[in-house]
Amino acid sequence: FFWKATMLALRRTLPTVSRRVSRCMSTAAAEASDGSMTLNFSLPHETIYSEAKVSQVIVPGAAGEYGITADHVPIVAQLKPGVLQIMHEGAEPEKYFVAGGFSLTHDNSVTDISCPEAVKLDDIDPAAVTSNYEAAKAAFSSAESGSVAAAEAQIDIEVNRAMGAAIGLTLN
């Protein structure tokens, strides 16, 4: 008897819940129907974008690069060193090198990106990247295996290699 009563209650309740969910979903879709999304892009010392309307963001996720547009499913992703691209309607993408960080996409077409450091690709000096890469390799070679210094040098190597790749350098 209990099972039968539970199933009967579910049959009566489920259509009501379904209609409520549909109304909520269609309201959210209507709010984002202009095709734009909201971007908040922050560093510890600077806010690059606050509530900016953009058409798309391409993120260097640790699990792979992916694009975010309006109505994207909510997702939290760790960023790897790489190029973050911000697409504005009808303009060339704005490109930043990010050293890592996190991207949080909410269900209301808002994405928050927080990075420890970011620099526009046009502002990167190839000679400085090459020099920093070589210095990191030297520091790694002279560090004791398994030490903090070795780990820090390895991070510097990887970040400078990714930065070099972002501007077309091949660092070995």
Side-chain angles (χ1 to χ4, degrees):
F1 175 76
F2 176 74
W3 178 253
K4 196 175 195 178
T6 303
M7 292 305 292
L8 186 58
L10 270 175
R11 275 192 223 140
R12 278 186 261 150
T13 308
L14 204 51
T16 303
V17 171
S18 179
R19 279 193 304 274
R20 287 182 184 153
V21 168
S22 294
R23 279 195 302 257
C24 289
M25 289 172 66
S26 62
T27 301
E31 289 172 1
S33 65
D34 67 352
S36 68
M37 57 176 281
T38 302
L39 175 64
N40 299 309
F41 181 20
S42 301
L43 310 177
H45 59 282
E46 174 185 12
T47 298
I48 297 174
Y49 281 108
S50 178
E51 297 184 19
K53 295 294 183 188
V54 300
S55 59
Q56 182 179 12
V57 179
I58 298 176
V59 176
E65 184 178 86
Y66 66 97
I68 305 166
T69 58
D71 300 325
H72 194 283
V73 296
I75 185 171
V76 175
Q78 180 179 354
L79 305 183
K80 67 179 181 180
V83 178
L84 175 81
Q85 298 181 59
I86 301 168
M87 315 295 201
H88 301 276
E89 196 64 43
E92 287 293 314
E94 189 175 359
K95 297 179 181 182
Y96 288 86
F97 177 80
V98 295
F102 289 91
S103 173
L104 293 87
T105 298
H106 308 275
D107 62 357
N108 60 352
S109 294
V110 173
T111 295
D112 299 317
I113 296 176
S114 179
C115 300
E117 193 60 58
V119 62
K120 281 193 169 189
L121 287 190
D122 295 340
D123 295 339
I124 296 175
D125 178 7
V129 173
T130 302
S131 175
N132 290 341
Y133 178 75
E134 293 302 327
K137 281 179 34 180
F140 182 76
S141 295
S142 65
E144 183 180 328
S145 181
S147 69
V148 171
E152 289 173 343
Q154 181 66 39
I155 291 168
D156 286 345
I157 289 170
E158 294 304 319
V159 169
N160 281 287
R161 183 180 290 138
M163 190 180 300
I167 58 172
L169 295 176
T170 302
L171 301 172
N172 293 323

